[in-house]
Amino acid sequence: MRSRFDLHLLSLLAGSALTAAAGSAAAQTAPAPSGAVAVPSDTTVPAGIDQPSTEAAGTDIVITARRREESAQTVPIAVTAFNDTMIREKSIVSTQDLTQVTPGLNVAPQSSRDTPTLVIRGQRRAVSGAGAPAVVTYFQDVPLPNEGSLLPTFDIGSLQVLKGPQGTLFGRNTTGGALLVYAKAPVYDLEGYVEGTLGRYDERKIEGAINLPIIDQKLAVRVAGQVWRRDGYTRNIGVGPDLDDIHNDAIRVSVLAEPVEGLKNVAVFDYYRAREAGTGAILNGTFPNPAVPGGGNARTAAARPFFDCGVRGCDIDIALADQRARGVRVTDTSISPLSRRDFWGVANTTTFDAGAVTIKNIFGYRSTNIVARRDGDGSGLRLSDGYSRADSTQVSDELQLLGSLMDDKLDWIVGGFYLKSKPDGVVGGWTLAPIFPGQFPSFNENYITTESKALFGQVGYDLGALADGLKANAGFRYTWDKSSGCTITRLSTLGFAGEDGCRTAGGRQGRESSKAPTWTLGLDYQVSRALFLYVTNRRGYRSGGFNQSGLAPSLAPYESYEPEKVTDYEAGIKSQWSLGRGARARFNLSAYTSEYANIQRGLTPGGNFDGDNNPANDPNSLIINAAKATIRGFEFDGALTFGGLTLSGFGAYTDAYYTRFDAIPVFVPLLGTNPVANRFSYTPEWTLGGGLRYARPLGDDIGTFVFNANYFFADKTWFVERPFDTNGIENGYKVTNLRAELNGIGGSGVDVSAFVRNVFNRTFATAGGIITPAVTATTKIYNEPRVYGIQARFTFGGR
């Protein structure tokens, strides 16, 4: 069965390459590298000069996947990229919306939309514990911390989704990929825009930017901001306000300085503030208790009088029936929900062109402050009331040296990377266990400092002597990671211990280090101006760590966990060609297979899971190296443009399966009786999408009409890995978004538009989770309902 799958992949890739090659014979034009956004074919634009752009087949986007500005169509990596116009036309108002426009990406909330987890090719962060992410979000090439990676998309110049292990050139080693976000860069023109939005649920949003040329060709400043308000769409009949509301403010200040020839410095300060109720969790089912022989829906004896009493107000089954009668847009909280987030940072990139060598330094500072209260069950019972705080800072620096040798036949880059993240206040939260009447919850404080260091280098060599357009690429990186800290559990009435208090009060101290080489090897072949082929082998690595709670002596070997490693093989084609009479087409396809070892999986054991009747060593959560797996699949995207009409489509097929589990017996009930049959969570087998864009000039006295329709489908998705837990499944969904614009009204800079997201008001779950084994209940987080509104935008200045 698996061998037939591989043959199908190879035949599909080969057949597509032949089709593209045939089309390229008739190609009349080809894309040329441009600035930071899409431009028409055969047009070269200086970096930093924004141009009108669409996803049309005859346009191109310049990306920085290999730390240089290159055409997306000539980079040997699967990448999906968006410029500012595409972000607006596809109604991408948050990085979470990238799920519906990117093949193979799932941006999933994990108990909250505040800190989403990015999932690519089956790779994700453990849903519990402090494991490193499998996909890292970068802002201005600075890696963002886990709790602070939710970015607003106003005044963004480029979004790039890189797929597969990023183990050579990017700051943090990852096994799944990377999301690169770049703000619009300052330019030497007076320009800007103001945009207002009114929409359903009393949505009010205003955003804008102004670009100020202070000294021509020497100094420029760009200031952008956004204020966004919207009522919650999940009605709360319990304690506190409605959930899934929006109440945030953001600002960015970018400064471009070029004091002398060859020296360029870009500094970006950003600040984001949110004061919201948070995410609505909807009670949706119960599951077998792994701690009870024979399973069933048995509760623990201690919890039964309070949550299984047979009377409304103290019975989970009655609460579940009430929730199903209300529907998924109404919840019942027993605690007033709160999501308070303050993120700010500085990204400073200095580039010095010394002739034969370019020196670049990327410095980053991030500060994260989160306070949250959540009712994890939404039942009105105190099953999973939670409170958490996260105060941390992160400093990073990356030095790069770039150049070329041998008459530009060999291009090279070498460099070093450093990152340190540490607590900057209280970090911790209540334990996720039922709170019985009269009982005070315990507060787990986790003060963990992490450091990552790396040296890297990559070369590309022109093999034109063998075949014109053939190039070899090789890169190597060695990474050293370590984490250390102190954890302590105290009754909430005792106040916060703090990092120093944790040590003096006898908190558990831990330390773990890991190191690994990673690499990339590949060949790419520019067959013609319209056809590009590549093959590559990559190794990705994700650091190990230590569990933040003490374990029973018999489980001491599991107090730390080892790094994950992924070995990936990928082949792809990228093509675009002219069909005559102004019609153009583009088609890209990548196929891959990955061997995934030392898989880190997060577990929520529950009380006395180890059977020693000692609650002091029952961890709230832990991470273990559980398994090996194989992940294989393919991704494609394409577009056909003729006249003012562009038809586009994309898709991803992911076949992820476990090949071995190594967990000891005490963990098996938490993983399922047959763990090898477990499903990869947040990884649907199929995702498909398509779009229609139509643009028609209506005359200078009217403007240009632009219409966009986008469709997305996701196959069945498991939110928990155990196949018997049917409550943790979304059986597939589809969603359609529409947008109509009239731009440049009367030859002015005024645009007006109307939009509808989730046109048919589909209801589907985007995430799910287990509340607690002691009560055996599960929840889901649901999508945004139909949302519609109007926008007005005024653009001024520029060339």
Side-chain angles (χ1 to χ4, degrees):
M1 188 68 176
R2 301 294 177 193
S3 61
R4 287 201 299 272
F5 173 80
D6 292 334
L7 289 174
H8 288 320
L9 277 183
L10 292 174
S11 62
L12 176 61
L13 193 59
S16 300
L18 291 173
T19 301
S24 69
Q28 298 174 354
T29 61
S34 66
V37 296
V39 297
S41 298
D42 286 336
T43 301
T44 301
V45 177
I49 304 297
D50 297 324
Q51 296 290 321
S53 57
T54 72
E55 61 181 327
T59 60
D60 193 16
I61 298 179
V62 165
I63 63 172
T64 54
R66 296 195 296 179
R67 299 302 206 187
R68 304 170 185 265
E69 289 191 350
E70 299 176 284
S71 165
Q73 288 297 109
T74 58
V75 174
I77 183 175
V79 57
T80 301
F82 307 91
N83 58 46
D84 61 327
T85 301
M86 296 164 70
I87 292 169
R88 188 167 63 254
E89 291 185 353
K90 291 180 178 294
S91 297
I92 300 173
V93 298
S94 164
T95 50
Q96 295 181 43
D97 295 322
L98 291 172
T99 297
Q100 298 177 11
V101 293
T102 307
L105 170 69
N106 192 342
V107 184
Q110 297 291 348
S111 77
S112 169
R113 302 181 209 278
D114 301 348
T115 54
T117 292
L118 279 69
V119 186
I120 297 178
R121 296 181 175 180
Q123 305 291 319
R124 63 167 175 81
R125 183 187 177 208
V127 296
S128 60
V135 181
V136 169
T137 300
Y138 291 80
F139 179 65
Q140 302 295 120
D141 290 323
V142 172
L144 301 184
N146 294 332
E147 299 87 359
S149 58
L150 182 64
L151 290 170
T153 57
F154 71 95
D155 204 45
I156 291 294
S158 171
L159 288 172
Q160 305 169 28
V161 182
L162 313 184
K163 300 161 192 174
Q166 304 299 312
T168 305
L169 291 180
F170 278 89
R172 297 299 304 269
N173 263 295
T174 58
T175 54
L179 169 62
L180 312 183
V181 184
Y182 297 94
K184 275 198 169 182
V187 295
Y188 296 111
D189 290 305
L190 177 62
E191 64 174 38
Y193 76 95
V194 178
E195 179 181 282
T197 303
L198 296 175
R200 193 182 183 195
Y201 298 105
D202 196 24
E203 180 177 7
R204 295 147 290 148
K205 178 168 64 173
I206 185 167
E207 66 178 71
I210 183 169
N211 193 96
L212 302 171
I214 308 300
I215 303 174
D216 189 38
Q217 306 305 309
K218 296 292 184 181
L219 182 65
V221 176
R222 187 177 185 92
V223 181
Q226 181 185 82
V227 177
W228 193 3
R229 305 287 186 267
R230 193 193 69 191
D231 293 343
Y233 58 73
T234 301
R235 186 163 65 92
N236 183 12
I237 63 173
V239 180
D242 294 342
L243 292 105
D244 295 299
D245 60 328
I246 295 174
H247 188 290
N248 59 61
D249 310 308
I251 188 170
R252 297 193 195 104
V253 180
S254 305
V255 180
L256 166 64
E258 297 180 280
V260 297
E261 185 176 355
L263 179 62
K264 178 180 179 179
N265 191 88
V266 178
V268 180
F269 167 83
D270 69 287
Y271 174 69
Y272 174 84
R273 179 181 187 271
R275 297 293 184 267
E276 299 169 349
T279 304
I282 304 300
L283 185 68
N284 80 297
T286 58
F287 65 96
N289 187 342
V292 177
N297 288 328
R299 277 68 164 173
T300 62
R304 191 171 295 121
F306 307 107
F307 306 112
D308 198 18
C309 67
V311 178
R312 180 173 280 102
C314 60
D315 191 283
I316 185 63
D317 296 304
I318 295 175
L320 175 59
D322 290 343
Q323 178 63 68
R324 288 175 173 170
R326 291 193 299 263
V328 303
R329 300 301 184 191
V330 181
T331 189
D332 181 8
T333 64
S334 57
I335 185 173
S336 183
L338 168 70
S339 176
R340 190 177 75 193
R341 312 184 300 279
D342 291 275
F343 309 146
W344 69 273
V346 176
N348 189 89
T349 301
T350 304
T351 307
F352 179 63
D353 185 354
V357 177
T358 298
I359 303 171
K360 179 183 287 188
N361 190 81
I362 305 166
F363 169 81
Y365 178 86
R366 305 300 305 178
S367 173
T368 299
N369 181 288
I370 300 175
V371 177
R373 286 194 305 264
R374 300 188 184 98
D375 187 315
D377 55 276
S379 68
L381 306 178
R382 304 203 70 181
L383 303 179
S384 181
D385 290 353
Y387 173 84
S388 62
R389 293 181 59 164
D391 298 329
S392 64
T393 60
Q394 175 187 288
V395 176
S396 64
D397 195 76
E398 181 170 336
L399 177 65
Q400 305 172 4
L401 285 76
L402 307 89
S404 61
L405 297 170
M406 305 171 64
D407 296 326
D408 294 334
K409 288 187 177 180
L410 184 145
D411 58 68
W412 57 272
I413 176 173
V414 296
F417 172 80
Y418 174 78
L419 179 146
K420 184 174 184 178
S421 175
K422 64 179 183 178
D424 191 38
V426 176
V427 180
W430 290 350
T431 55
L432 294 179
I435 303 170
F436 304 143
Q439 176 189 9
F440 290 105
S442 57
F443 194 86
N444 294 329
E445 298 178 55
N446 308 302
Y447 300 99
I448 310 299
T449 296
T450 61
E451 281 189 283
S452 182
K453 304 174 184 178
L455 296 174
F456 60 87
Q458 185 159 310
V459 297
Y461 185 72
D462 186 349
L463 298 174
L466 298 177
D468 189 29
L470 185 64
K471 187 175 182 179
N473 303 287
F476 182 81
R477 182 186 190 100
Y478 205 93
T479 303
W480 297 265
D481 288 305
K482 66 179 181 179
S483 59
S484 61
C486 180
T487 66
I488 191 170
T489 300
R490 295 154 53 92
L491 289 178
S492 61
T493 55
L494 298 177
F496 305 122
E499 187 172 5
D500 293 336
C502 179
R503 296 186 180 93
T504 58
R508 175 179 176 267
Q509 298 187 56
R511 181 182 299 272
E512 182 67 18
S513 61
S514 57
K515 58 185 178 180
T518 52
W519 65 80
T520 180
L521 296 170
L523 289 171
D524 58 70
Y525 184 24
Q526 189 73 59
V527 180
S528 68
R529 289 174 62 85
L531 178 62
F532 179 81
L533 309 176
Y534 70 90
V535 293
T536 185
N537 164 233
R538 295 171 293 191
R539 164 63 69 88
Y541 150 89
R542 188 149 54 125
S543 63
F546 66 95
N547 286 303
Q548 298 173 1
S549 299
L551 296 176
S554 61
L555 303 178
Y558 292 88
E559 289 191 350
S560 62
Y561 50 92
E562 297 179 359
E564 286 185 345
K565 296 179 181 178
V566 172
T567 304
D568 169 90
Y569 303 87
E570 182 177 313
I573 68 167
K574 300 185 178 186
S575 61
Q576 55 184 353
W577 60 96
S578 171
L579 302 176
R581 296 186 178 181
R584 302 177 303 277
R586 183 190 75 241
F587 181 73
N588 300 329
L589 171 69
S590 62
Y592 66 91
T593 183
S594 302
E595 297 301 324
Y596 189 11
N598 271 354
I599 297 175
Q600 299 169 6
R601 283 295 175 255
L603 306 176
T604 52
N608 201 33
F609 84 104
D610 51 12
D612 67 354
N613 296 313
N614 180 7
N617 59 39
D618 289 341
N620 181 44
S621 64
L622 74 157
I623 297 175
I624 65 171
N625 296 106
K628 291 185 177 181
T630 297
I631 306 172
R632 57 186 74 182
F634 60 86
E635 297 147 351
F636 66 89
D637 68 84
L640 175 65
T641 300
F642 47 94
L645 182 65
T646 296
L647 302 175
S648 59
F650 65 85
Y653 174 78
T654 308
D655 182 23
Y657 58 96
Y658 289 101
T659 56
R660 196 175 81 187
F661 261 80
D662 298 318
I664 62 175
V666 70
F667 293 128
V668 169
L670 304 175
L671 298 167
T673 55
N674 180 20
V676 176
N678 284 358
R679 308 286 185 162
F680 271 69
S681 59
Y682 297 92
T683 306
E685 188 175 47
W686 279 100
T687 57
L688 298 168
L692 179 152
R693 182 184 190 274
Y694 179 69
R696 180 181 178 84
L698 302 179
D700 293 341
D701 56 339
I702 299 178
T704 300
F705 174 74
V706 180
F707 176 77
N708 275 272
N710 293 283
Y711 169 85
F712 178 75
F713 164 78
D715 204 357
K716 179 184 291 187
T717 304
W718 277 260
F719 299 132
V720 293
E721 297 198 333
R722 300 177 304 188
F724 63 80
D725 188 356
T726 57
N727 296 314
I729 296 176
E730 169 55 55
N731 287 317
Y733 66 90
K734 57 192 73 172
V735 63
T736 303
N737 300 323
L738 300 177
R739 183 182 181 91
E741 305 178 9
L742 185 60
N743 297 331
I745 297 175
S748 70
V750 176
D751 308 332
V752 295
S753 58
F755 63 87
V756 185
R757 296 195 301 271
N758 191 7
V759 174
F760 300 106
N761 203 26
R762 305 286 189 183
T763 300
F764 52 88
T766 57
I770 296 172
I771 297 174
T772 166
V775 182
T776 68
T778 62
T779 59
K780 284 183 178 178
I781 295 172
Y782 284 84
N783 69 305
E784 180 183 69
R786 181 191 295 120
V787 174
Y788 47 81
I790 57 173
Q791 287 181 341
R793 183 183 181 96
F794 173 63
T795 303
F796 60 90
R799 296 175 182 174

